[in-house]
Amino acid sequence: MRAFQAAAAAAILGVSLIGSASEMSPDLKALVDAAKKEGALTLAWAQDVMGGADGARLFEQAINKTYGTNIAIKFVPSIPQPALASKIVTEAAAGQTATSDVYLGANYASAILTDRKGMIPVEWTKLLPGRITPDLVEEGGQAVRFATGFPGVTYNTDLVPAVRVPKKLTDLLDPWWKGRLASTVYAASFEAISSPDMLGYQGSLDYIKKLAPQLAGLIRCGDGERIATGEYAALALDCSSQQATYWKRKGAPIAQAQLIDAAQLRYWYVGVPKNAAHPAAGKLWITYALTPEGQALVRRTWDVDLDSFPEVPDHGLAAELKAKGAKMLAMTIPYWNAHKDMDKAKDEMVKILRTSKGKK
């Protein structure tokens, strides 16, 4: 925690924990020089991701102070991550520049690009030796893990007594929850339970059929305010701990419960499209985001970080879950590619949820 606090303070003050230029790896020095020549970077994702335009400015200030660059970062509000990945693929096929110099997406969305060799293979471990380790890099260097999402149940602590806080999937089937519970319109995080490492394909659909009548409505992961205000007592499953963390910081009666039999490590990935206009600046942005102070800034702007790093809060959350006996399913890009039935299961789950009597 002390290490995290130091990193957070450094990020806010613009103080580098990386060290002087003379301490950079040779590959990082070369990358900084190349990024200086480009002098610009375009980032495109949703406004509520990484602080949007405000977050981009914070990263611009921190990166330029850390590396002695003068990179102007332009933020462009964009379409959802799967659609953006498909758009970048189309742009590349047409010989056009990618909409974003850095792609940020979940495993299933990132796979749209990596499966088509659409991102630049990078030897990330040479940029930050000892910090970026081989286990963080996937798909031949095209994608690197950037942050971790922990799906669970976001609930209102004023409405849910301690004895009712769910610990397993079956707890949500208790009659007490009927009419109090919301789920998402896109069956967020439920596809993981269809994997052979959880309930399996048919087992997961059977579960959703039992859960559907319990629901009072369907919302989106970003609708945490509707839990905070008491419109619903809980959201299951949510996308990650982000919403609960965000509203709790604002003083709302919000917490998140992790389900031992549905525990997941859902990674967000970053990479540089092959048709990026500023590939060096894109690589440098990613490199900085994986430093201790970069991760502190990710936490500050997005309420998450990468659990692999021992100084970050999400590392503690992962350790706590494992101590409780949770079998953490790592939803990596290779795992997604090896279990494509999860996508089919999710489509079936969405149909079940949207046609349930609980739909508002």
Side-chain angles (χ1 to χ4, degrees):
M1 182 57 70
R2 289 179 180 175
F4 167 73
Q5 290 171 340
I12 294 171
L13 296 174
V15 178
S16 174
L17 299 181
I18 297 173
S20 65
S22 62
E23 296 173 326
M24 294 183 192
S25 70
D27 288 67
L28 182 53
K29 286 182 182 178
L31 180 61
V32 169
D33 290 341
K36 284 180 179 178
K37 293 177 182 178
E38 291 177 351
L41 179 68
T42 299
L43 301 176
W45 41 68
Q47 181 65 48
D48 61 353
V49 173
M50 295 288 295
D54 292 338
R57 282 192 290 272
L58 288 173
F59 271 91
E60 178 184 273
Q61 294 166 7
I63 289 172
N64 287 334
K65 187 171 186 66
T66 298
Y67 301 113
T69 52
N70 191 27
I71 299 170
I73 298 181
K74 177 184 177 182
F75 175 75
V76 181
S78 186
I79 54 182
Q81 49 180 306
L84 179 59
S86 296
K87 182 179 181 182
I88 292 174
V89 169
T90 301
E91 289 168 340
Q96 300 172 352
T97 300
T99 296
S100 182
D101 290 318
V102 174
Y103 179 75
L104 188 161
N107 58 354
Y108 63 90
S110 297
I112 295 173
L113 279 163
T114 58
D115 289 355
R116 294 167 176 79
K117 309 299 181 185
M119 290 201 277
I120 300 172
V122 178
E123 292 186 281
W124 298 105
T125 57
K126 291 186 176 181
L127 295 173
L128 292 177
R131 176 71 176 178
I132 302 180
T133 51
D135 58 301
L136 305 186
V137 182
E138 297 182 21
E139 302 300 289
Q142 290 187 82
V144 60
R145 295 176 193 173
F146 164 75
T148 314
F150 293 85
V153 179
T154 297
Y155 67 97
N156 186 305
T157 55
D158 287 343
L159 300 178
V160 181
V163 69
R164 295 294 182 182
V165 175
K167 297 179 176 62
K168 295 183 178 181
L169 287 166
T170 51
D171 292 343
L172 298 172
L173 303 182
D174 188 293
W176 185 87
W177 282 104
K178 189 173 178 66
R180 292 182 168 98
L181 189 64
S183 194
T184 61
V185 293
Y186 32 70
S189 308
F190 274 119
E191 76 275 12
I193 72 172
S194 72
S195 77
D197 295 301
M198 288 193 176
L199 297 184
Y201 185 88
Q202 190 57 51
S204 69
L205 298 185
D206 291 342
Y207 174 80
I208 294 297
K209 289 175 183 176
K210 294 176 183 177
L211 179 70
Q214 298 281 79
L215 304 180
L218 299 176
I219 61 177
R220 298 180 181 277
C221 282
D223 293 337
E225 184 174 5
R226 301 174 74 174
I227 308 300
T229 58
E231 181 180 353
Y232 301 101
L235 170 64
L237 291 173
D238 55 29
C239 289
S240 76
S241 60
Q242 284 172 301
Q243 281 289 304
T245 301
Y246 173 80
W247 285 105
K248 189 174 182 179
R249 279 197 294 103
K250 289 183 171 293
I254 290 290
Q256 191 203 38
Q258 292 288 331
L259 304 183
I260 298 301
D261 54 352
Q264 308 164 40
L265 296 168
R266 298 185 73 96
Y267 296 112
W268 280 285
Y269 295 88
V270 280
V272 178
K274 283 189 173 180
N275 51 330
H278 311 100
K283 295 174 192 176
L284 188 62
W285 187 96
I286 292 172
T287 301
Y288 176 79
L290 291 170
T291 63
E293 63 270 43
Q295 282 285 291
L297 194 49
V298 172
R299 165 64 62 167
R300 178 184 171 190
T301 58
W302 211 24
D303 290 310
V304 290
D305 39 48
L306 185 61
D307 74 288
S308 302
F309 297 131
E311 82 277 4
V312 304
D314 277 343
H315 181 82
L317 178 55
E320 180 183 340
L321 283 167
K322 291 176 182 177
K324 291 180 179 179
K327 182 181 179 182
M328 307 293 288
L329 179 61
M331 293 286 282
T332 64
I333 297 175
Y335 192 87
W336 174 262
N337 284 334
H339 299 87
K340 288 295 179 69
D341 274 356
M342 289 193 293
D343 199 23
K344 181 181 176 183
K346 188 168 188 174
D347 288 342
E348 291 299 316
M349 292 175 184
V350 169
K351 291 178 184 177
I352 294 169
L353 292 175
R354 291 186 176 181
T355 57
S356 71
K357 292 181 180 179
K359 180 182 175 184
K360 275 192 176 181

